[in-house]
C-alpha cells in the first residue's frame, strides 16, 4: 500500500466551485506539504504544516486554504476555483527526527482541471 | 533563501549513451541537496541526496551526483542510460539548520531514444 495517498486522482470542475483535495499518510511523519506543478515551472509550495497546530503559507497560497485534521491528514481547498488553478497537485511528507533523511515523500498527485 | 537553476529544460540522448543533467544552486548558508525523478503519471521519488561527507553520492538506478561547493553545483550523471530512464528530473536544495523546506528547480526532461 502507498505511504502517501491523494484523493481524488483526477478532478474536473467549473469556475467558482469549491474543491477539496485530500492527503493521507501512513509514514508517521509530522511534516506535510502541498505543492502545485505546472509545466516548465517545477514545484511551487502552497502550504506546509510542521504539526497539527502549526500551519504556514508557502510562496503561492493566495486562493487556497488548508486543514490539518490529524497528524496523518492534510487537506487543500480551493474556495472558488479559477482556470489558472488548473495544475497537478502533490502532497508530500517529511520526517526530521534523529533518523530522518531530510527528503520528502510524495503522493501520486491530483490532476485538477478548472473550466 | 535558496534558489536552484536547472540549466537544461530538455535533454535528448540515445540509449546506452552517458548523460549529465546540470544543477546549480544559490544559498548563503550550508545546504542539503537532492535529485528527484518523476516518471509519467507518478509522483516524485528520491534518486539521491547529499547531506554531508563524501561529495560523490550514488543513488538508485545507477545514477550518481557530485557536490561541488566552490562551483555551487550538483550535477547528476549516468554512464549508460536506458529507455526506462525517460522521465522528469528535479534538483532541490534546502537549508541545514532552519526550516529544511526544499526549493525545487524547474525540472529537466530526459528523453532517451532507442
Amino acid at each position: 500500500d502507498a505511504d502517501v495517498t491523494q484523493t481524488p486522482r483526477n478532478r474536473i470542475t467549473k469556475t467558482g466551485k469549491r474543491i477539496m483535495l485530500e492527503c493521507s499518510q501512513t509514514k508517521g511523519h509530522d511534516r506535510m506539504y502541498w505543492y502545485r506543478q505546472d509545466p516548465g515551472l517545477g514545484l511551487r509550495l502552497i502550504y506546509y504544516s510542521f504539526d497539527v497546530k502549526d500551519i504556514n503559507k508557502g510562496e503561492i497560497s493566495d486562493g487556497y486554504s488548508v486543514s490539518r485534521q490529524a497528524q496523518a491528514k492534510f487537506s487543500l481547498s480551493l474556495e472558488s476555483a479559477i482556470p489558472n488553478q488548473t495544475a497537478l497537485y502533490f502532497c508530500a511528507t517529511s520526517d526530521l527526527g534523529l533518523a530522518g533523511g531530510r527528503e520528502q515523500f510524495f503522493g501520486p498527485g491530483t490532476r485538477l482541471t478548472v473550466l | 533563501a535558496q534558489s536552484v537553476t536547472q540549466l537544461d529544460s530538455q535533454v535528448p540522448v540515445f540509449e546506452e549513451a552517458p548523460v549529465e543533467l546540470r544543477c546549480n544552486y544559490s544559498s548563503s548558508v550550508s545546504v542539503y541537496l537532492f535529485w528527484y525523478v518523476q516518471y509519467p503519471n507518478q509522483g516524485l521519488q528520491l534518486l539521491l541526496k547529499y547531506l554531508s561527507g563524501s561529495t560523490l553520492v550514488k543513488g538508485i538506478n545507477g545514477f550518481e551526483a557530485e557536490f561541488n561547493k566552490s562551483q555551487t553545483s550538483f550535477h547528476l550523471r549516468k554512464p549508460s542510460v536506458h529507455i526506462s530512464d525517460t522521465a522528469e528530473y528535479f534538483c532541490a536544495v534546502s537549508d541545514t539548520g532552519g526550516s529544511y523546506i526544499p526549493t525545487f528547480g524547474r525540472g529537466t526532461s530526459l528523453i532517451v531514444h532507442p
Side-chain angles (χ1 to χ4, degrees):
Chain A
D1 288 340
D3 295 316
V4 183
T5 58
Q6 294 183 234
T7 56
R9 293 294 312 279
N10 289 282
R11 183 70 184 268
I12 300 173
T13 191
K14 294 182 178 180
T15 297
K17 293 291 187 180
R18 184 178 187 275
I19 297 296
M20 178 179 286
L21 309 182
E22 298 186 341
C23 176
S24 295
Q25 54 117 345
T26 58
K27 299 190 75 66
H29 291 168
D30 287 326
R31 295 189 167 199
M32 298 186 74
Y33 311 79
W34 275 105
Y35 292 92
R36 66 176 279 174
Q37 182 182 16
D38 299 277
L41 296 181
L43 272 72
R44 293 182 290 167
L45 184 63
I46 306 172
Y47 270 95
Y48 61 100
S49 171
F50 286 174
D51 65 40
V52 175
K53 295 183 180 180
D54 184 3
I55 294 177
N56 305 276
K57 293 182 177 180
E59 62 178 296
I60 56 163
S61 60
D62 286 349
Y64 301 94
S65 63
V66 291
S67 172
R68 185 83 183 265
Q69 301 94 325
Q71 186 204 38
K73 296 184 182 297
F74 192 36
S75 300
L76 176 71
S77 293
L78 288 67
E79 297 301 326
S80 179
I82 56 177
N84 77 359
Q85 291 177 314
T86 293
L88 189 53
Y89 290 84
F90 286 104
C91 175
T93 73
S94 68
D95 175 18
L96 288 178
L98 289 176
R102 307 292 187 263
E103 69 265 33
Q104 294 187 320
F105 296 84
F106 287 82
T110 294
R111 187 169 296 280
L112 177 66
T113 302
V114 183
L115 302 176
Chain B
Q2 299 87 37
S3 67
V4 178
T5 302
Q6 292 185 240
L7 296 157
D8 305 293
S9 60
Q10 202 171 84
V11 173
V13 64
F14 286 107
E15 194 174 20
E16 298 184 7
V19 71
E20 177 180 82
L21 306 185
R22 298 179 294 168
C23 173
N24 285 93
Y25 70 91
S26 174
S27 177
S28 59
V29 298
S30 298
V31 296
Y32 295 138
L33 293 156
F34 308 85
W35 275 100
Y36 290 85
V37 60
Q38 182 184 26
Y39 298 107
N41 300 314
Q42 295 186 26
L44 281 71
Q45 62 184 85
L46 183 72
L47 260 184
L48 48 79
K49 62 187 177 185
Y50 171 79
L51 301 183
S52 65
S54 173
T55 57
L56 183 62
V57 179
K58 294 189 182 298
I60 62 172
N61 301 337
F63 284 93
E64 65 180 31
E66 185 158 18
F67 170 49
N68 187 319
K69 188 175 181 179
S70 63
Q71 297 188 4
T72 60
S73 68
F74 191 55
H75 300 332
L76 181 70
R77 301 183 182 99
K78 186 170 182 178
S80 176
V81 295
H82 303 289
I83 296 287
S84 59
D85 292 322
T86 294
E88 192 82 13
Y89 292 79
F90 293 94
C91 182
V93 60
S94 73
D95 61 78
T96 63
S99 68
Y100 302 105
I101 296 174
T103 299
F104 287 84
R106 295 191 171 197
T108 297
S109 179
L110 176 63
I111 303 169
V112 182
H113 297 287

